Amino acid sequence: MKAALEAWGAGSNLFHQGIAEETDDPEVVAATLAKPGVVLKRPAGSNGRFAEHSGLPSEMATDKIGHRPKAGQAKPKQKPEPEHRASATSRDKEATRKAAASSEREQARREAQIRQEEAALARKREQRQKLIAKAQAAFENAEREHEARAAALEAERAAVEERAQAEEARWFRQKEKLTAVLRQAREQ
């Protein structure tokens, strides 16, 4: 009963209040065992089949009000209980067994579906890891190539800098010589 109240989202004990009641109707038991944990409904006031989503009742409640027996009228007799309760009990047991087998098949189907989904996720994860490894290797190769080119350019820059310094030193010496020659020419 507690599981039923939780599935319905009830905040109070509907069984205690008389709003809900337990049943041993084989059709109801078979329907609930076929879909455990799912709240099954049927149109209010009807004897229709239980389903996850109930439709509207085929007759309106106002139509039934006019057909109520008046006080003093005889009520229809209830059907007598079957003499062979054992046969009804065996039918109940058979219906319960079939419903349980159906529930087990549904559970096995769900578990197989979950295994398939997990396997698909594992394949995706493995494929992603391969792509990451490939991209990482390409990145590392490009980085090594960049470092080699940068080192070559740095070596070229150092050589050019050395030549520039040598040129500056040569020009400084030549400038001093030419300045001295120019000075001597002016002094004469």
Side-chain angles (χ1 to χ4, degrees):
M1 286 193 285
K2 184 177 179 183
L5 292 172
E6 287 176 3
W8 293 332
S12 61
N13 190 341
L14 301 177
F15 292 95
H16 180 70
Q17 295 172 358
I19 297 171
E21 60 184 26
E22 287 187 58
T23 184
D24 58 354
D25 183 356
E27 291 179 13
V28 175
V29 171
T32 57
L33 287 177
K35 295 185 176 188
V38 176
V39 177
L40 299 177
K41 305 171 188 174
R42 69 175 169 190
S46 74
N47 292 331
R49 296 182 64 212
F50 282 92
E52 289 184 50
H53 305 288
S54 68
L56 295 174
S58 59
E59 296 179 2
M60 297 298 292
T62 56
D63 294 343
K64 292 183 180 181
I65 292 174
H67 291 73
R68 286 189 180 169
K70 295 179 182 175
Q73 282 185 341
K75 294 182 182 178
K77 294 183 180 180
Q78 293 181 352
K79 294 182 181 179
E81 295 223 3
E83 293 179 17
H84 301 290
R85 279 292 276 179
S87 64
T89 304
S90 65
R91 284 193 303 261
D92 292 350
K93 287 180 182 178
E94 179 67 17
T96 303
R97 185 191 63 73
K98 286 181 180 178
S102 174
S103 176
E104 288 175 9
R105 284 192 301 274
E106 179 64 19
Q107 183 67 24
R109 186 194 63 77
R110 287 184 194 149
E111 289 173 359
Q113 183 179 3
I114 289 170
R115 283 192 301 273
Q116 287 176 347
E117 289 170 359
E118 287 174 352
L121 286 174
R123 285 191 300 271
K124 272 187 167 181
R125 200 171 21 254
E126 184 179 331
Q127 194 174 32
R128 187 174 50 242
Q129 290 298 327
K130 286 180 181 179
L131 287 173
I132 289 171
K134 186 177 180 181
Q136 183 68 32
F139 176 81
E140 289 171 358
N141 287 338
E143 188 175 34
R144 280 193 297 273
E145 185 178 333
H146 164 71
E147 288 173 357
R149 286 182 178 180
L153 288 172
E154 187 59 38
E156 286 178 30
R157 185 187 344 224
V160 168
E161 185 66 32
E162 190 176 313
R163 288 197 323 252
Q165 287 176 358
E167 176 59 25
E168 277 297 314
R170 183 198 67 75
W171 168 243
F172 183 75
R173 288 189 303 273
Q174 185 179 10
K175 182 179 170 185
E176 282 192 0
K177 285 181 187 177
L178 292 173
T179 305
V181 170
L182 184 60
R183 209 177 304 131
Q184 281 178 357
R186 285 187 185 159
E187 290 177 359
Q188 293 185 350

